[in-house]
Amino acid sequence: MKIGQMVNISPYLTHLTDWVMGKIIEIEQNPFRGTVIAAKDNLGRIFWGESDYFEPINENALCLQ
């Protein structure tokens, strides 16, 4: 994953019922937690946590129908 990439954010981090789409704004290599990602959604909310709770979105495979 890289900064600027679109990701789905797990409900475990958001405390919402569904996954939320956001854009990665920061990536940190934390010696205790591993790779920590911060992502911002379209409402301006920032969610952060271990990379396990983020799924990359393949923008080339999105169906626009």
Side-chain angles (χ1 to χ4, degrees):
M1 287 190 247
K2 60 185 180 182
I3 293 176
Q5 182 177 3
M6 297 300 291
V7 291
N8 281 324
I9 307 165
S10 170
Y12 178 82
L13 292 179
T14 65
H15 300 287
L16 302 172
T17 57
D18 295 322
W19 288 70
V20 174
M21 189 183 331
K23 183 183 283 190
I24 295 176
I25 58 171
E26 186 177 346
I27 299 174
E28 171 190 341
Q29 296 301 324
N30 185 298
F32 302 104
R33 299 181 78 153
T35 302
V36 176
I37 296 174
K40 188 175 193 177
D41 72 357
N42 62 348
L43 297 176
R45 300 175 293 190
I46 297 174
F47 301 102
W48 63 275
E50 290 90 356
S51 61
D52 296 341
Y53 301 111
F54 296 85
E55 286 185 351
I57 296 174
N58 184 353
E59 295 175 352
N60 297 330
L62 289 178
C63 180
L64 301 175
Q65 293 183 351

